[in-house]
Amino acid sequence: ALNNPMNFLDLEVLVPKKTNSLDQHFEAAIKRLRDEGRYRVFTNILRNAGEFPMAVEHMTGSNRKITVWCSNDYLCQGQNPVVLEAMHKCLKIHGAGSGGTRNIGGNTNLHVKLESELADLHDKESALVCTSGYVANEAALSTLPSLFPNGAIYFSDEENHASMIYGMRYSKLNKKDIRVFRHNDVEHLEQLLKTADNDEDREKVKIIVFESVYSMSGSISPLEKIKEIATRFGALTYIDEVHAVGLYGKRGGGVCQERNIEMDIISGTLGKAFGVHGGYIAASSLIIDCIRSYAPSFIFTTSLPPVTLAGSIASIQYLKKSSKERELLHAHSKLMKKRLTEEDLPVLPSDSHIVPLFIGNASKCKEVSDTMFRDYGLYVQPINYPTVPRGQELLRLSPGPMHTAEKIEEFISAAKTVWKSFGLIGYSELQKKL
Ligand code: PMP
């Protein structure tokens, strides 16, 4: 029974239930989520190489084919034969694990090679590979302020990802030195920087923290203006390009590359457009040397395994040369937004490849997602609080090179029926609210 391929949550029936006096608190915590309709159930799917965007439903044992609409393997690099071949080869040659932390036995030629690929991708002197994109943000942002004897102030976009928010919080800065500006509002940012020109704040290093592509709204930040403000105020810039690397710029170096703008520190992931796993920052050699030397979540953990590194290297090299995948992704995303609008489905304004479909209610969002999955075999995960603010619940679609016009029509036809049966808000009505 332990091999039962059911959702892991079902395994609880196999384990004799022990209770203790604290269980009531754990139960209450879970109940709160259930009551709000945002208790998370992991959809269990089988991804078979070569079949994306199709996958197999694994939860019910039905082996039904479903279409995945919410993958961050944006370009299907996770199934690119070039990447798989590199990983197969590497496993045979170098084995499974890295054998240690970067500092003690776990620094290999592949780590060095991947970092030099990444530095080249971003036209930076150096890069540092971390366990994930989350850890890269956390490592860098929790460490940076400690490098400045007079302290620092973070200026953080209000839509920044949790990994950046927690990174800033884990730094030893006082709360008042983490100042949040309204999303993409450069006037607000400038105003906050101006008010930091007093005796208490003047000597503190100013660090502006933001993303290029915001993963839920799909908005793109005003990079040029932020850069100009940063230069004027002598601030450091920290940009998360996690949802842009591989997808923007002529070599896949992100929005900074596309617009030819230099930021001081770029963070990225190897787990989304590059289709593998891991994260990194790219910056000057001096900054990288500091994070490498001081960040606990980089220092005290086993480094990534060789297979992951080899796959990432192959994927980056491939996407530096090949633009056809990203061109197709952008074409499909544009088509999908156009068709959703034409069919009065409430697509939110998005400057990027991400296609957010507004629902605005946590339980409805979950029910719509469940219906699309159950009745139409279309998998799109509901996005609820805290990933988005309450009342802004949505379905986040990520069309890729393999989501053809036919697939898009299939989704739209199902969504039209579901929207009608739930009485959900349409595109034209949403415009009046925005
Ligand atoms: N930054 C942003 C904006 C993200 O959306 C995510 C992941 N969802 C991360 C960082 C973390 O990246 P990873 O998945 O590689 O940990």
Side-chain angles (χ1 to χ4, degrees):
L2 280 169
N3 291 326
N4 186 338
M6 305 286 272
N7 187 313
F8 80 94
L9 291 171
D10 297 328
L11 289 178
E12 67 189 4
V13 299
L14 302 173
V15 180
K17 206 169 171 180
K18 281 191 210 144
T19 51
N20 68 49
S21 59
L22 294 179
D23 277 359
Q24 55 176 318
H25 301 298
F26 297 129
E27 279 159 10
I30 295 297
K31 185 171 180 303
R32 279 200 295 277
L33 296 177
R34 285 195 195 275
D35 289 350
E36 285 183 35
R38 56 189 188 90
Y39 177 70
R40 293 173 202 250
V41 178
F42 301 152
T43 304
N44 188 346
I45 58 169
L46 269 179
R47 281 166 52 99
N48 295 322
E51 291 185 6
F52 192 78
M54 304 311 289
V56 177
E57 178 184 3
H58 205 40
M59 209 144 36
T60 59
S62 74
N63 287 336
R64 177 172 69 134
K65 289 255 161 108
I66 51 144
T67 309
V68 182
W69 276 100
C70 55
S71 175
N72 279 337
D73 184 359
Y74 288 124
L75 298 176
C76 201
Q77 284 293 94
Q79 305 192 354
N80 183 334
V82 174
V83 176
L84 303 194
E85 175 66 18
M87 296 177 86
H88 278 299
K89 249 192 189 159
C90 177
L91 182 66
K92 278 203 179 138
I93 298 172
H94 297 295
S98 72
T101 63
R102 288 291 291 276
N103 200 29
I104 308 178
N107 182 47
T108 70
N109 60 326
L110 288 168
H111 292 90
V112 177
K113 186 158 186 334
L114 175 55
E115 285 171 349
S116 95
E117 272 307 333
L118 288 166
D120 171 69
L121 176 68
H122 293 292
D123 291 317
K124 290 287 186 198
E125 287 173 358
S126 283
L128 188 73
V129 170
C130 296
T131 305
S132 68
Y134 188 104
V135 173
N137 279 336
E138 191 275 324
L141 292 171
S142 65
T143 301
L144 274 171
S146 66
L147 306 171
F148 307 121
N150 294 325
I153 306 177
Y154 277 128
F155 296 86
S156 168
D157 187 288
E158 70 177 336
E159 279 196 16
N160 276 339
H161 187 254
S163 54
M164 301 156 89
I165 297 170
Y166 283 102
M168 290 184 273
R169 284 187 193 163
Y170 294 155
S171 73
K172 294 202 177 76
L173 288 185
N174 287 324
K175 249 188 181 167
K176 67 176 177 49
D177 287 336
I178 302 173
R179 303 181 188 173
V180 178
F181 60 96
R182 287 187 293 273
H183 178 53
N184 278 350
D185 186 339
V186 283
E187 277 162 25
H188 191 207
L189 168 65
E190 188 167 353
Q191 196 185 324
L192 291 181
L193 277 155
K194 274 186 190 153
T195 57
D197 187 24
N198 54 48
D199 288 348
E200 195 191 338
D201 293 340
R202 199 164 294 122
E203 298 305 316
K204 295 176 182 170
V205 173
K206 319 291 183 305
I207 309 169
I208 306 173
V209 181
F210 59 109
E211 301 180 21
S212 57
V213 174
Y214 286 85
S215 65
M216 293 301 148
S217 62
S219 58
I220 296 187
S221 55
L223 273 75
E224 295 80 355
K225 191 69 193 156
I226 292 178
K227 172 76 186 177
E228 184 272 312
I229 291 174
T231 309
R232 195 146 38 89
F233 285 87
L236 267 179
T237 45
Y238 186 101
I239 187 167
D240 172 310
E241 290 243 50
V242 159
H243 290 275
V245 289
L247 304 173
Y248 295 81
K250 65 178 190 309
R251 297 194 308 144
V255 183
C256 287
Q257 181 171 91
E258 186 178 71
R259 299 194 185 174
N260 199 19
I261 299 175
E262 196 181 347
M263 299 295 177
D264 296 304
I265 306 173
I266 295 175
S267 73
T269 185
L270 302 163
K272 299 189 194 288
F274 293 121
V276 190
H277 182 254
Y280 62 90
I281 53 167
S284 69
S285 300
L286 199 53
I287 292 177
I288 294 296
D289 204 12
C290 283
I291 306 299
R292 182 186 76 87
S293 307
Y294 283 97
S297 47
F298 170 77
I299 299 171
F300 299 105
T301 189
T302 301
S303 64
L304 287 180
V307 178
T308 307
L309 304 167
S312 299
I313 293 167
S315 186
I316 295 165
Q317 286 177 341
Y318 180 93
L319 287 178
K320 277 181 183 171
K321 292 204 186 106
S322 177
S323 289
K324 67 173 192 286
E325 291 78 8
R326 47 185 166 261
E327 280 164 12
L328 263 179
L329 167 134
H330 291 297
H332 289 162
S333 162
K334 255 192 203 138
L335 175 64
M336 184 150 207
K337 287 181 199 165
K338 175 169 168 284
R339 291 290 300 122
L340 287 165
T341 312
E342 285 168 359
E343 299 295 340
D344 200 33
L345 287 159
V347 58
L348 287 160
S350 152
D351 316 312
S352 67
H353 59 286
I354 291 161
V355 183
L357 205 48
F358 180 81
I359 297 196
N361 174 289
S363 19
K364 275 198 182 150
C365 197
K366 167 117 184 42
E367 283 173 48
V368 168
S369 157
D370 288 348
T371 308
M372 296 290 276
F373 190 86
R374 186 188 60 235
D375 297 351
Y376 300 93
L378 301 171
Y379 173 34
V380 51
Q381 196 72 26
I383 309 289
N384 285 341
Y385 176 84
T387 311
V388 291
R390 285 194 172 89
Q392 291 182 31
E393 293 79 4
L394 50 89
L395 299 183
R396 176 187 182 272
L397 306 166
S398 47
M402 310 303 205
H403 292 91
T404 56
E406 255 178 12
K407 284 264 150 226
I408 291 173
E409 290 310 317
E410 180 193 32
F411 182 90
I412 286 179
S413 150
K416 273 170 72 179
T417 315
V418 173
W419 248 248
K420 210 168 167 192
S421 73
F422 278 85
L424 296 169
I425 185 172
Y427 179 78
S428 37
E429 216 182 310
L430 179 67
Q431 297 319 297
K432 293 180 211 152
K433 280 185 145 204
L434 289 179

